[in-house]
Amino acid sequence: MSSLLRPPVIRSGLGVLDRSLFSKTVNLAAAAVAERKNISAWRQKLQRENALLALERIPSVVPHPDQRLAAQGTKCLLLHPKIKAGVPETWTPVVQEGVASKEIGVIPYDLSLGYDYWSYEDVMKSLLPPDLRDEHDGIPGGFNHAGHVAHMNLREKFLPYKKLIAEVLLDKNPSIKTVINKVANVGTESEFRTFAYEVLAGPDDLNVEARENECVFRFDYSKVYWNSKLEGEHRRVVNLFQPGEVVCDVMAGIGPFAVPAGKKGVFVWANDYNPESYRYLDENIRRNKVEQYVRPFNQDGRTFIREAADLVYAASTNGEYAVSGPSRKEQRSRHPKSKTDKSAPNPEPKRTRIPPTISHFVMNLPASAITFLPHFRGLYAGREQLFAPHTGTKLPMVHVYCFAPKADDGASLIHICERISAEIGVSMKLGDSENAHEVTVLEVRNVAPNKHMFCASFRVPPELAFAARP
């Protein structure tokens, strides 16, 4: 953006936001089109030679600045700042051609911009001293979005400006009503991944509703863990599951993996150690109508790993199943206005039996999930006949999350495999998770400059799964 079109630089006192100071008049030129019917044609001509003002949220076609002509419907096309009304030498060939033919006239135009026009980044660059910004930090704009709450994690150097930052954030994000700032690290100060916070702007109301992957979640954000930045990762993993399979979500939270999986007909044994997470998980299962597929538990994940395998086996042995009705396509075909044959009998409800084995384990507790892996020992002790080569069923795939520094040479990925090997007592190497004793490691997101979140996936080795239980 040209400096001509940048907001004014404002260095007022800490925490003071005077919106009136952001008013600015930009002196431009405009092409007044003589005939209204020719506006579209002239806009295309001027666009082709880059003579129009190209600025987000500013229309290229505006009323004539003369109110009398504007009342008659005369329109103008805003021109690039390099074109000056009284300086024909700055006019492009097309502009010169239009003026010569009297189809357009080049006139001065004062473009008025105010606080509402400028983006959050524009305003903060005007308010914050330049020495606070560097190539790593930039402007503090990232936040975790939970319903109407924006959760920031401001660096210490920005704390003197925290109220100011929150006020502008509210102004520029209509869906945000409350801005909070974390004052402790998730996963270290709290075993339930909750955090201490301060309200920077808006009411202290953290009862939120969030929508993710076609599901609705309600919860008290101060009592449970939620990270909107993981929506894509939740979708990626859920897409790995097939309808009719069983998944064990060991650290399920309020259900961002479990509930969408249930929506696609996947059986999920979903557990969380936090009683509040369990309560909201149970509510969200019912709210999204996946009770047939998702079962909530409130246990220590370490003991739940083997217990889930036993519970799934028992449910399958007892012949438990889910019943699903006709699909939406089938329902539409039965509609009175549908052209399909209405005499055909209604399709019978489909029964999907719970299989005897778990296909996937999800362990999203990056700070410590790897230390839970020893509890896979003896997962299917004495039940070797359920798996290949006796059947076509493979041992479960584990998706375990962890934190590690990122290294360009791949050393971090190798180190993650070494950590897994040490925990399970079986040598694992970096590779394809579909191959025996190999681990696929994917980077999920950058948490901090030297802290990245990874997902390591591998099949439970037979010498671990079929070992005697401790």
Side-chain angles (χ1 to χ4, degrees):
M1 181 191 296
S2 166
S3 59
L4 186 69
L5 299 175
R6 291 196 181 109
V9 175
I10 301 165
R11 300 285 186 255
S12 55
L14 295 182
V16 178
L17 176 60
D18 187 344
R19 295 169 180 81
S20 67
L21 296 178
F22 285 86
S23 298
K24 181 175 184 177
T25 299
V26 182
N27 303 124
L28 297 172
V33 183
E35 298 287 341
R36 278 181 288 177
K37 64 181 181 181
N38 294 332
I39 291 174
S40 179
W42 272 105
R43 178 165 55 183
Q44 293 177 15
K45 288 181 181 181
L46 294 169
Q47 276 180 334
R48 281 196 290 269
E49 65 171 12
N50 297 318
L52 283 182
L53 177 70
L55 198 61
E56 290 184 2
R57 307 186 303 283
I58 297 295
S60 58
V61 181
V62 295
H64 196 286
D66 185 314
Q67 292 185 358
R68 180 180 57 82
L69 294 174
Q72 297 173 7
T74 305
K75 301 287 187 180
C76 294
L77 295 164
L78 296 182
L79 298 175
H80 192 282
K82 67 184 178 183
I83 299 174
K84 309 297 181 184
V87 186
E89 294 80 6
T90 64
W91 300 355
T92 64
V94 169
V95 173
Q96 293 176 7
E97 172 193 329
V99 172
S101 65
K102 298 185 179 180
E103 292 185 52
I104 64 171
V106 180
I107 61 172
Y109 189 94
D110 290 337
L111 176 64
S112 297
L113 300 175
Y115 177 79
D116 289 343
Y117 169 73
W118 310 112
S119 69
Y120 169 82
E121 289 76 14
D122 292 334
V123 174
M124 295 316 303
K125 285 178 181 178
S126 293
L127 291 172
L128 295 180
D131 59 343
L132 283 183
R133 309 194 301 267
D134 59 43
E135 60 178 340
H136 298 295
D137 293 325
I139 296 297
F143 57 86
N144 187 19
H145 195 172
H148 64 272
V149 175
H151 163 207
M152 305 194 79
N153 185 13
L154 293 173
R155 297 186 184 279
E156 184 175 358
K157 65 182 180 180
F158 292 119
L159 293 180
Y161 301 87
K162 60 187 179 182
K163 297 287 187 180
L164 184 67
I165 292 168
E167 192 173 358
V168 177
L169 194 67
L170 277 186
D171 286 344
K172 301 302 178 180
N173 295 272
S175 64
I176 299 297
K177 306 302 178 186
T178 299
V179 180
I180 63 174
N181 184 49
K182 183 173 69 174
V183 295
N185 290 326
V186 175
T188 55
E189 280 75 8
S190 168
E191 63 177 333
F192 295 146
R193 289 191 288 179
T194 55
F195 55 90
Y197 68 92
E198 58 178 338
V199 177
L200 301 183
D204 187 359
D205 174 17
L206 270 61
N207 288 293
V208 304
E209 177 177 294
R211 295 176 181 271
E212 181 178 290
N213 293 322
E214 301 182 5
C215 298
V216 178
F217 300 91
R218 291 179 186 169
F219 51 93
D220 183 338
Y221 189 40
S222 67
K223 297 179 179 179
V224 302
Y225 177 78
W226 176 266
N227 192 331
S228 59
K229 296 177 181 178
L230 293 176
E231 179 175 3
E233 177 63 7
H234 298 151
R235 186 183 307 114
R236 180 190 74 83
V237 173
V238 170
N239 285 340
L240 300 175
F241 309 152
Q242 298 302 313
E245 289 184 334
V246 179
V247 170
C248 176
D249 193 350
V250 184
M251 301 95 173
I254 64 167
F257 288 109
V259 174
K263 281 264 189 177
K264 64 182 289 188
V266 176
F267 295 103
V268 186
W269 264 245
N271 173 72
D272 202 272
Y273 189 45
N274 180 355
E276 291 293 332
S277 293
Y278 166 75
R279 179 165 71 89
Y280 287 112
L281 170 64
D282 186 40
E283 290 179 8
N284 289 320
I285 289 169
R286 288 183 277 108
R287 178 169 292 109
N288 291 276
K289 298 180 172 59
V290 292
E291 302 97 317
Q292 284 196 98
Y293 292 98
V294 185
R295 306 186 183 194
F297 298 86
N298 178 212
Q299 299 183 22
D300 186 322
R302 297 172 181 84
T303 58
F304 184 71
I305 291 171
R306 284 192 290 259
E307 182 174 334
D310 295 341
L311 290 172
V312 170
Y313 181 76
S316 179
T317 302
N318 293 336
E320 296 179 29
Y321 57 84
V323 178
S324 56
S327 66
R328 289 184 180 179
K329 182 178 180 181
E330 292 170 329
Q331 290 175 350
R332 286 194 297 269
S333 70
R334 306 292 303 180
H335 193 275
K337 294 183 179 180
S338 172
K339 296 180 180 179
T340 58
D341 181 13
K342 306 298 186 302
S343 63
N346 289 325
E348 290 291 326
K350 179 183 177 182
R351 290 187 176 187
T352 303
R353 291 177 60 102
I354 297 175
T357 62
I358 296 171
S359 296
H360 297 265
F361 281 84
V362 180
M363 305 174 70
N364 184 18
L365 187 64
S368 61
I370 281 183
T371 65
F372 286 55
L373 294 178
H375 296 271
F376 281 90
R377 179 164 298 278
L379 182 71
Y380 284 111
R383 293 179 181 149
E384 292 86 346
Q385 75 281 359
L386 298 175
F387 300 93
H390 309 286
T391 68
T393 302
K394 298 179 179 179
L395 281 162
M397 182 76 75
V398 176
H399 309 280
V400 58
Y401 290 84
C402 63
F403 293 130
K406 184 178 180 180
D408 294 335
D409 60 0
S412 295
L413 310 186
I414 295 172
H415 180 59
I416 290 171
C417 296
E418 291 172 346
R419 290 167 61 191
I420 292 171
S421 301
E423 292 291 344
I424 66 177
V426 178
S427 179
M428 306 291 286
K429 66 179 182 179
L430 188 65
D432 185 344
S433 59
E434 287 296 344
N435 295 333
H437 303 97
E438 292 187 9
V439 184
T440 298
V441 184
L442 298 178
E443 183 178 354
V444 176
R445 60 182 291 259
N446 181 1
V447 178
N450 195 35
K451 183 180 181 182
H452 294 247
M453 179 179 176
F454 295 88
C455 177
S457 299
F458 63 94
R459 289 206 177 274
V460 180
E463 56 264 56
L464 181 68
F466 302 138
R469 292 190 175 182

